[in-house]
Amino acid sequence: MLKVKVLLNALCTMALLVGCTTIAVAPGRNDTIQNSDADILIRNGRIIDGTGNSWFLADLAIRDGKIVAIGKLDHYKASRTLDAKRQIVAPGFIDVHAHIEFGLFENPTANHYVHDGVTTVVTGNCGGSADSLAEFFTRIDTTGTSINVASLVGHNTVRRQVLGLANREASPDDQRRMEALVEQAMQQGAVGLSTGLIYLPGLYSSTDEVIGLARAAARHRGIYASHIRNEGNKVVDAINEALNIGRAANMPVQISHFKVSAPANWGRSRETLALIERARSEGLDVTIDQYPYTASSTTLSVMLPDWAVEGGIDAIGKRLADPAQRRKIAAEMLNNARENKRPDFSYAVVARHAADASLNGKNLSVINLQKGRPATMEAEIETLLDLLVAGGAQMVYHGMNEDDVRFIMRYPFNMVGADGGVQNGKGMPHPRSYGTNARVLGKYVREEKVITLEEAIRRMTSLAAQKFQLKDRGLLRVGFAADIVIFDETQIIDKATFDAPHQFSSGISYVLVNGKSVIDAGRHTGIRSGIALKGAGFLPAAGAESNIRRSI
């Protein structure tokens, strides 16, 4: 037997030297493969394994949700064989920036994600996560979902549980209680701490407050992911704050949906990326993510001055009912728009307004004219404030420049994150929830050649898995989870648009999640084989609620 192994090793070495495909077999299997069995055998695929290396022709075998062999597997037997027909076989895509806390349980098949090749999402971003990650993870595993889910613990969620929506500094006792909640969440399986420093109540926090919470997460090997405090005129200060938090807490940093917003800042991506590269050269593990669009999406209330949103939507309504406060708010908004070189508010489009669905898909300039008001910025601000009084709205903001999008996309330590939620077919949401990955591969790889196919897949897979410490994900390797996407690189493209957002991407033939076929010949099977993925600090005993949360 020893002589056989020596001979096999010599043959494998020779094959590597001449560029031939070798066979990788799962540990513990018999050295001979003539009678090996698999649940699924993928034949004739062009394997892009997630490392960034070139594709190679090979077969891939799956058993019990794991990859058990990659190579020329002529003698393998399987319950089912899929002919890839020389399409690309890649690791399932990992969306590092999602917001699916509640929508996933209403639509657990997450069709728009898997039709875009996504097998895993990281949620809990922008400072907002489930109140109890133990309950959230348990619900994922008991309900069953078609995607795997990891989660950050949200700073805004933790601050709200301790301080409500108040505009005040955290006391030492407040800080202690928040840090205890972060530690608890990390032990329950969070992959790190997220902040959303333009949202309630985190926008009222100091840098020192965030550093304290980041250190609590770092003690459990978490990362710091931040929707920074400003993506416009003060973007440099905001990036530096995030970098300094990472340095102070001695932990990796992820800057979310990296961009520069508003015409006054177009072209500054060279300046902002230089900050990231300088920090990396100094030894800070900092990376970024991006969605491939020139529009963002968030709530209407972010247009208000920070002081005016304290207490949430009901408190906003009361302030706007006071003529003096309304005038003050409007004056500050007008000044901000002019500083950002906004000619009007046509860049702001209603995605969902519960009080009047007929406004969905219309921009504020058009809505303003419909109300019979003059085409002035002052009048458009009054229209905007009326929408807030009526309950607010989810918005799409067309505020970025295509040259910046392309420049940022070329950065090698940049992942893909849609910044989307689970969609239900209603409203006029940002198309990124449906088409982010396909858009990168179709528009920016195939059509515009901004980056290569292998590089794009590395960003969507192994880079993401490494950063968020998702073990056994992000690579096609023997022993790794069988999260796999098979697609035609000549056909893959996003179909969702701003005018017609509820459309699935095309060109993806198969998506497997933990070895189960969720997309089969382009159709969702209804299979829900996703699981909750826990962070490096997970302690099984922390799954039950502790007295920390009950005491708050």
Side-chain angles (χ1 to χ4, degrees):
M1 190 62 179
L2 179 60
K3 290 182 179 180
V4 172
K5 288 186 175 181
V6 171
L7 179 59
L8 283 173
N9 286 336
L11 289 172
C12 286
T13 301
M14 291 175 62
L16 286 170
L17 290 173
V18 299
C20 295
T21 302
T22 58
I23 299 171
V25 184
R29 298 289 291 172
N30 192 292
D31 287 324
T32 59
I33 61 170
Q34 283 74 9
N35 295 312
S36 297
D37 295 321
D39 299 323
I40 297 176
L41 182 61
I42 300 172
R43 291 201 182 278
N44 305 316
R46 284 188 291 150
I47 305 288
I48 296 182
D49 62 8
T51 61
N53 290 336
S54 300
W55 62 264
F56 59 92
L57 287 171
D59 307 325
L60 185 149
I62 299 164
R63 186 177 62 251
D64 297 330
K66 302 286 186 181
I67 298 169
V68 294
I70 302 173
K72 189 171 177 59
L73 308 178
D74 290 344
H75 301 288
Y76 259 64
K77 297 178 181 179
S79 302
R80 187 183 183 200
T81 298
L82 300 178
D83 186 356
K85 299 178 181 178
R86 296 210 170 192
Q87 293 186 75
I88 300 299
V89 179
F93 304 147
I94 300 171
D95 186 323
V96 299
H97 194 102
H99 297 276
I100 54 88
E101 278 70 24
F102 305 106
L104 184 62
F105 300 117
E106 296 176 1
N107 297 282
T109 55
N111 295 49
H112 60 298
Y113 274 119
V114 289
H115 275 288
D116 200 41
V118 174
T119 58
T120 298
V121 301
V122 180
T123 194
N125 285 282
C126 297
S129 62
D131 283 358
S132 166
L133 287 183
E135 293 177 1
F136 178 64
F137 290 141
T138 297
R139 193 174 178 190
I140 288 170
D141 289 335
T142 55
T143 300
T145 61
S146 292
I147 53 175
N148 304 308
V149 180
S151 184
L152 298 145
V153 54
H155 169 222
N156 291 332
T157 299
V158 168
R159 197 176 211 269
R160 173 179 51 78
Q161 291 175 315
V162 175
L163 285 89
L165 302 180
N167 179 2
R168 70 173 178 85
E169 182 179 347
S171 70
D173 184 59
D174 294 331
Q175 186 72 25
R176 177 193 63 77
R177 296 165 73 196
M178 287 192 289
E179 290 177 14
L181 286 175
V182 170
E183 293 226 29
Q184 181 187 51
M186 294 301 299
Q187 293 171 348
Q188 291 175 344
V191 294
L193 170 73
S194 79
T195 54
L197 296 175
I198 70 166
Y199 299 118
L200 279 174
L203 64 89
Y204 301 131
S205 63
S206 67
T207 302
D208 285 342
E209 173 184 317
V210 179
I211 288 172
L213 301 186
R215 284 174 173 158
R219 286 193 285 272
H220 302 273
R221 293 176 286 169
I223 76 163
Y224 174 63
S226 183
H227 178 150
I228 55 178
R229 210 176 287 270
N230 188 285
E231 295 169 329
N233 293 347
K234 299 178 181 178
V235 64
V236 168
D237 291 340
I239 290 172
N240 281 327
E241 180 186 33
L243 299 177
N244 288 334
I245 289 167
R247 292 185 183 106
N250 192 27
M251 69 194 303
V253 175
Q254 178 80 5
I255 298 184
S256 301
H257 38 61
F258 200 83
K259 66 174 79 74
V260 284
S261 295
N265 299 293
W266 290 352
R268 294 185 70 190
S269 56
R270 285 156 179 78
E271 178 185 4
T272 57
L273 270 181
L275 297 173
I276 305 302
E277 193 57 25
R278 188 177 305 120
R280 287 188 62 84
S281 71
E282 294 169 355
L284 181 64
D285 178 3
V286 54
T287 48
I288 64 176
D289 58 73
Q290 176 192 31
Y291 45 79
Y293 299 88
T294 56
S296 60
S297 182
T298 188
T299 62
L300 184 61
S301 60
V302 300
M303 304 279 277
L304 297 179
D306 287 354
W307 63 267
V309 299
E310 181 182 7
I313 194 67
D314 291 338
I316 290 171
K318 291 178 181 178
R319 288 188 189 96
L320 293 176
D322 181 321
Q325 290 199 65
R326 185 173 178 127
R327 284 193 298 272
K328 182 180 178 183
I329 290 169
E332 290 189 30
M333 291 175 65
L334 181 62
N335 183 63
N336 182 64
R338 288 173 173 165
E339 285 182 353
N340 282 287
K341 298 183 179 179
R342 302 282 193 194
D344 53 40
F345 285 88
S346 61
Y347 74 96
V349 179
V350 175
R352 185 178 65 255
H353 181 52
D356 184 358
S358 71
L359 301 184
N360 294 346
K362 296 178 180 178
N363 69 57
L364 289 177
S365 295
V366 168
I367 295 170
N368 180 66
L369 292 175
Q370 284 184 190
K371 290 181 173 292
R373 289 172 170 163
T376 64
M377 293 186 73
E378 291 86 350
E380 289 176 357
I381 288 172
E382 289 302 314
T383 295
L384 185 160
L385 297 179
D386 287 344
L387 294 182
L388 282 168
V389 172
Q394 182 72 17
M395 304 292 291
V396 171
Y397 297 107
H398 294 268
M400 289 173 275
N401 177 273
E402 184 66 32
D403 289 341
D404 286 316
V405 170
R406 292 192 186 98
F407 185 78
I408 293 167
M409 190 172 292
R410 291 188 181 97
Y411 187 64
F413 304 110
N414 177 14
M415 302 163 213
V416 176
D419 195 9
V422 176
Q423 297 296 328
N424 58 10
K426 298 178 181 179
M428 294 289 285
H430 196 301
R432 64 192 183 187
S433 291
Y434 285 86
T436 287
N437 291 278
R439 183 174 177 83
V440 170
L441 296 172
K443 175 178 170 64
Y444 292 99
V445 171
R446 183 178 65 246
E447 296 175 0
E448 299 188 8
K449 297 178 174 52
V450 174
I451 55 176
T452 66
L453 178 61
E454 290 85 354
E455 172 66 4
I457 289 174
R458 181 187 71 85
R459 312 268 196 90
M460 297 172 176
T461 58
S462 66
L463 181 62
Q466 175 186 329
K467 185 69 180 204
F468 289 87
Q469 303 176 74
L470 305 178
K471 294 194 304 180
D472 304 334
R473 312 275 162 176
L475 289 169
L476 297 184
R477 286 284 185 273
V478 170
F480 274 46
D483 293 345
I484 297 170
V485 58
I486 303 175
F487 66 93
D488 184 342
E489 88 280 14
T490 69
Q491 298 296 320
I492 190 168
I493 196 68
D494 58 313
K495 295 291 189 181
T497 66
F498 290 102
D499 293 329
H502 299 290
Q503 300 186 77
F504 298 138
S505 298
S506 64
I508 293 177
S509 303
Y510 297 91
V511 176
L512 283 72
V513 178
N514 295 308
K516 303 294 184 182
S517 187
V518 176
I519 296 293
D520 197 302
R523 295 179 179 274
H524 200 303
T525 63
I527 288 174
R528 297 175 359 198
S529 53
I531 60 173
L533 303 178
K534 310 293 176 50
F538 173 62
L539 295 177
E545 288 292 271
S546 75
N547 290 329
I548 296 173
R549 189 173 302 276
R550 285 195 292 268
S551 68
I552 292 173

